[in-house]
Amino acid sequence: MSTANTVLKIHPKDNVIVALRDLEKNTKVSLNSEDYILNDTIPAKHKFATQAFKKGDAVYMYGVLVGRAKKDIAKGGLISTTNLEHDTETYAANNEKNKIEWEQPDFSKFITKTFKGYHRADGKVGTENNWLIIPLVFCQNRNVEVLKHALLEKLGFSKEQHLKLDVDALIEDYKNGASTEAILNKDILKSSQHKEKNPLFPNIDGIHFLTHEGGCGGATSDSVALCHLLAGYINNPNVAGATILSLGCQHAQASILQDALNKMSPEHKKPIYVLEQQHIASEEVLLAEAVKKTFVGLIEANKIERKPAPLSKLVIGLECGGSDGFSGISANPTLGYVSDLIVALGGASVLSEFPELNGVEQEMINRCTKVENAKKFSQIMSTYNAKADALGAGFYANPSPGNIKDGLITDAIKSAGAAKKGGSSPVEDVLDYTEQVTQPGLNLLCTPGNDVESTTGLAGSGCNVILFTTGLGTPTGNPITPVVKVSTNSKLYNKMPDIIDFNAGTIIEGTTSIEEAGEQLLDFVIEVASGKLTKAKQLRQDDFIPWKRGMSL
């Protein structure tokens, strides 16, 4: 049979081959002048052995160790959880500076391109202009919800609707005695309505309400981390200012947030209003003051307009979720190429999800330009894994059932593919959770692999756009930073057009190269940075989950 666009060997060192489409048992596959007779049916995205493995033999993919055979595997046999277990190489940082040679991609077509953003006093440029209303503790969530209902509709921010469901029609049918079958067959979808510009504050993209379950109780360190995260959100160039509600007695004190913000941006000039309920006469007065101060802040924020900015002002977050066996072949390398382009243009990119760098630690260490960054990365990784392992779920437990079903059967396989989002450029900085991006180039940011906890962290460290690859589909978004969803395969792109922005599946089909897809994606990013709404923004998918540093992969 023809093997064009049927199978792929990713790296010369690999001893497994990826099926790009479903392959039946006993099929003869030829690749690089070698024939393979498949001993099993190999579903698309899964792998088969290029050699006979004995129990304990090392299995390589992406050129790195991704596991060991739990039992004998025949040449042409399916690699699965029944015969492969997670394993990775050891890693270590040394005291010598790495010699890094990096060949930049051709970025000539992007040198003169700009995006239309919001220029801040500190020199950063936002891709959005948002106002935040933030509770320092869960006790204020109700008050935040009251403000949400009071402000959004009256100020014209609730008119943008992705979908309207005609519940009134169901009520009317029920009153008229309609049967259950008739109700279930009723079409209650109404046409979408979208507001192009806010009539009162046309230069404000949104008011966002970051409710959460933290701020008191639990570990005090989690409350401190929450304050630093919220300070990072205020410091993000996509934010114009904030209204902050505090009870007064909680662990997450307003002074901790203010100190964190002052360290992040000593000269910040954004309007920030803090209201403490225990120092105000009544809840009604608290809410009235919050509305008035927010309104005044919106007047000030509306004075700024979008103006051209160089691409060096982009800070791109790199994320994946709902990954599949094609993630490391199509969408993730596409993000890697975009990352390399942004770095070459003088911008910053941020690779997160440390549990999904398990197995490629040495590669990342070797790419660090500073010894202290290599040591910091090594220390964070080992401490994080040990803490998770002590709680019964080390990095090896990271792949989800969906990941495994679609070919990512060990964390090392998942990680080796996930790391492709970081391209090939040198690592200029290593950041722990909530630390701010200050260096151009590729940054590594410690977050869990959990989609929303990680995107929450990326925005909190200063990303003004997030690129998010998925092979299975996820609606994940963020309140302040646009999230561009990139599919690994065309089937997903066509099945879920309401949540996917860009299709990298053409790489699997052989109609587009990684470089071509990367350039197309960067053009799309420029549109988004200039105000084009992503699917997550259209859906108003404003996901926000602070990371508790206990146990989360």
Side-chain angles (χ1 to χ4, degrees), residues 149-164:
H149 290 297
L151 291 169
L152 288 187
E153 183 174 355
K154 293 296 183 182
L155 297 183
F157 288 99
S158 66
K159 294 180 181 178
E160 184 181 312
Q161 297 180 9
H162 170 72
L163 179 65
K164 189 170 183 181

Side-chain angles (χ1 to χ4, degrees), residues 415-528:
S415 296
K420 296 299 179 183
K421 300 193 302 293
S424 60
S425 66
V427 174
E428 297 294 345
D429 208 355
V430 174
L431 308 171
D432 204 350
Y433 183 63
T434 75
E435 289 184 334
Q436 300 295 288
V437 176
T438 61
Q439 300 297 318
L442 178 62
N443 293 250
L444 304 182
L445 171 66
C446 181
T447 72
N450 177 289
D451 300 352
V452 177
E453 287 177 330
S454 187
T455 51
T456 297
L458 285 166
S461 286
C463 294
N464 53 13
V465 176
I466 295 173
L467 303 183
F468 188 120
T469 70
T470 181
L472 305 177
T474 168
T476 304
N478 183 266
I480 65 168
T481 299
V483 178
V484 178
K485 226 67 63 56
V486 181
S487 67
T488 71
N489 60 89
S490 297
K491 181 179 179 181
L492 172 64
Y493 180 74
N494 294 324
K495 182 175 69 173
M496 304 182 80
D498 54 336
I499 69 167
I500 302 296
D501 297 285
F502 185 90
N503 181 29
T506 52
I507 295 170
I508 300 297
E509 295 154 9
T511 59
T512 307
S513 69
I514 290 171
E515 293 77 13
E516 289 169 337
E519 291 179 352
Q520 293 167 12
L521 179 55
L522 183 50
D523 279 329
F524 186 82
V525 167
I526 293 170
E527 292 184 60
V528 169

Side-chain angles (χ1 to χ4, degrees), residues 265-296:
S265 181
E267 303 298 326
H268 75 84
K269 298 180 180 179
K270 296 179 181 180
I272 300 169
Y273 307 108
V274 180
L275 296 98
E276 199 157 87
Q277 187 170 5
Q278 290 172 345
H279 292 166
I280 295 177
S282 67
E283 192 165 83
E284 289 82 359
V285 174
L286 169 79
L287 293 169
E289 285 298 306
V291 167
K292 288 186 289 184
K293 290 183 176 179
T294 299
F295 195 87
V296 169

Side-chain angles (χ1 to χ4, degrees), residues 517-548:
E519 291 179 352
Q520 293 167 12
L521 179 55
L522 183 50
D523 279 329
F524 186 82
V525 167
I526 293 170
E527 292 184 60
V528 169
S530 302
K532 180 182 177 70
L533 291 179
T534 63
K535 297 298 175 64
K537 284 292 181 181
Q538 292 174 30
L539 286 167
R540 313 198 84 168
Q541 187 81 29
D542 294 337
D543 298 315
F544 178 78
I545 302 179
W547 179 26
K548 294 183 178 181

Side-chain angles (χ1 to χ4, degrees), residues 309-510:
L311 300 190
S312 60
K313 294 297 183 179
L314 290 175
V315 182
I316 305 292
L318 307 168
E319 177 73 19
C320 58
S323 300
D324 70 351
F326 287 161
S327 292
I329 302 171
S330 60
N332 289 352
T334 299
L335 263 61
Y337 192 72
V338 171
S339 174
D340 287 348
L341 287 171
I342 290 294
V343 169
L345 289 161
S349 62
V350 188
L351 180 61
S352 58
E353 302 178 287
F354 274 23
E356 297 181 11
L357 297 179
N358 183 216
V360 294
E361 293 96 338
Q362 195 63 54
E363 176 194 340
M364 293 301 166
I365 288 170
N366 295 342
R367 287 166 61 182
C368 288
T369 58
K370 298 178 181 177
V371 173
E372 56 266 35
N373 283 333
K375 290 183 175 180
K376 183 177 181 180
F377 174 69
S378 178
Q379 187 271 330
I380 291 175
M381 286 292 286
S382 59
T383 301
Y384 187 175
N385 191 24
K387 189 171 186 178
D389 195 46
L391 294 170
F395 288 170
Y396 64 86
N398 184 29
S400 70
N403 295 150
I404 294 169
K405 179 177 178 292
D406 266 45
L408 302 179
I409 58 177
T410 71
D411 185 56
I413 291 177
K414 183 178 181 181
S415 296
K420 296 299 179 183
K421 300 193 302 293
S424 60
S425 66
V427 174
E428 297 294 345
D429 208 355
V430 174
L431 308 171
D432 204 350
Y433 183 63
T434 75
E435 289 184 334
Q436 300 295 288
V437 176
T438 61
Q439 300 297 318
L442 178 62
N443 293 250
L444 304 182
L445 171 66
C446 181
T447 72
N450 177 289
D451 300 352
V452 177
E453 287 177 330
S454 187
T455 51
T456 297
L458 285 166
S461 286
C463 294
N464 53 13
V465 176
I466 295 173
L467 303 183
F468 188 120
T469 70
T470 181
L472 305 177
T474 168
T476 304
N478 183 266
I480 65 168
T481 299
V483 178
V484 178
K485 226 67 63 56
V486 181
S487 67
T488 71
N489 60 89
S490 297
K491 181 179 179 181
L492 172 64
Y493 180 74
N494 294 324
K495 182 175 69 173
M496 304 182 80
D498 54 336
I499 69 167
I500 302 296
D501 297 285
F502 185 90
N503 181 29
T506 52
I507 295 170
I508 300 297
E509 295 154 9

Side-chain angles (χ1 to χ4, degrees), residues 6 30 39 70 81 84 113 178 196 250 265 274 327 379 492 511 514:
T6 298
S30 298
N39 274 19
K70 292 196 289 188
T81 54
L84 184 70
K113 291 191 176 184
E196 292 298 324
Q250 73 277 350
S265 181
V274 180
S327 292
Q379 187 271 330
L492 172 64
T511 59
I514 290 171

